Amino acid sequence: MTNDESKTLVFIYDREVTEKDSADERILTCRQYAREQGWTVVGQWVDRGSNAVALRRTIWNGMIAAMEHEGQGKRIVCLVANWHRIAFDDAARDTLRQTVSHVGGACVAVDDEVVPSTPRNVAMRRLHASGEQLGPGTTLVRHDGATA
C-alpha cells in the first residue's frame, strides 16, 4: 500500500429505483473492493424511489457535502458497483459525476463493463486504465482487460 492509497477516503453510493431493487449486494462488493485497494470507507449513501432517478438527489447531495468536509488533504473517491448506479442516462451521469469533481473527488466503478459512452469518456478510460489518478477530479476506472 502506498501513502496515496492510505489517504484515500471512499464514499460508497448506490440507488434503489424500485422496491425490489436492493443495494445490499452492490454495497458489499464496493466495500470489498475498497478493502482490497487499502482505502478507508467513510460511509455509504443510498437514494431511494423517485429521488433515485431525479437529477437533484437528497442523498447524493449529502454525500457531496460529506466529501467536501471530510476530504481536506486526502484523495476522495465516490465508489459505485457500476456506472448505472449513478444514472442510466449519460448526460445525467456526467452532471452528477461533475459534482464529485467540483469537490476534488473522482468516481470509480468496480465493474466498468457499462462505461460512459461519450467519446471523451472512452478516451479517458483508455488513458486511466491503469487506475492511477493524474489529478484532482480525474475519473478513475478499474480495468482488468485489454482496451479496444
Side-chain angles (χ1 to χ4, degrees), residues 84-99:
H84 284 165
R85 301 329 312 154
I86 297 174
F88 290 113
D89 177 71
D90 289 341
R93 185 182 315 117
D94 288 345
T95 298
L96 290 165
R97 288 174 57 212
Q98 206 168 37
T99 62

Side-chain angles (χ1 to χ4, degrees), residues 45-85:
W45 287 259
V46 180
D47 274 305
R48 292 180 170 88
S50 61
N51 197 47
V53 294
L55 193 52
R56 291 181 161 223
R57 299 181 186 169
T58 307
I59 304 301
W60 178 273
N61 290 336
M63 180 189 69
I64 297 300
M67 288 176 128
E68 190 169 29
H69 182 263
E70 298 289 328
Q72 301 299 318
K74 302 204 179 204
R75 182 172 167 225
I76 53 177
V77 169
C78 169
L79 183 61
V80 293
N82 62 59
W83 294 113
H84 284 165
R85 301 329 312 154

Side-chain angles (χ1 to χ4, degrees), residues 10-132:
V10 174
F11 299 75
I12 297 173
Y13 179 79
D14 208 306
R15 61 197 184 111
E16 296 175 345
V17 179
T18 66
E19 289 181 24
K20 293 180 181 180
D21 186 20
S22 174
D24 294 344
E25 286 291 321
R26 295 185 298 262
I27 289 172
L28 286 174
T29 298
C30 288
R31 284 186 173 278
Q32 180 180 347
Y33 181 79
R35 187 173 36 256
E36 291 169 2
Q37 301 305 311
W39 297 343
T40 302
V41 175
V42 175
Q44 61 195 41
W45 287 259
V46 180
D47 274 305
R48 292 180 170 88
S50 61
N51 197 47
V53 294
L55 193 52
R56 291 181 161 223
R57 299 181 186 169
T58 307
I59 304 301
W60 178 273
N61 290 336
M63 180 189 69
I64 297 300
M67 288 176 128
E68 190 169 29
H69 182 263
E70 298 289 328
Q72 301 299 318
K74 302 204 179 204
R75 182 172 167 225
I76 53 177
V77 169
C78 169
L79 183 61
V80 293
N82 62 59
W83 294 113
H84 284 165
R85 301 329 312 154
I86 297 174
F88 290 113
D89 177 71
D90 289 341
R93 185 182 315 117
D94 288 345
T95 298
L96 290 165
R97 288 174 57 212
Q98 206 168 37
T99 62
V100 171
S101 244
H102 287 317
V103 296
C107 291
V108 175
V110 174
D111 177 6
D112 72 337
E113 285 183 29
V114 182
V115 294
S117 61
T118 63
R120 180 183 183 281
N121 288 335
V122 171
M124 292 300 287
R125 176 178 178 228
R126 289 182 182 142
L127 287 172
H128 303 296
S130 66
E132 295 177 13

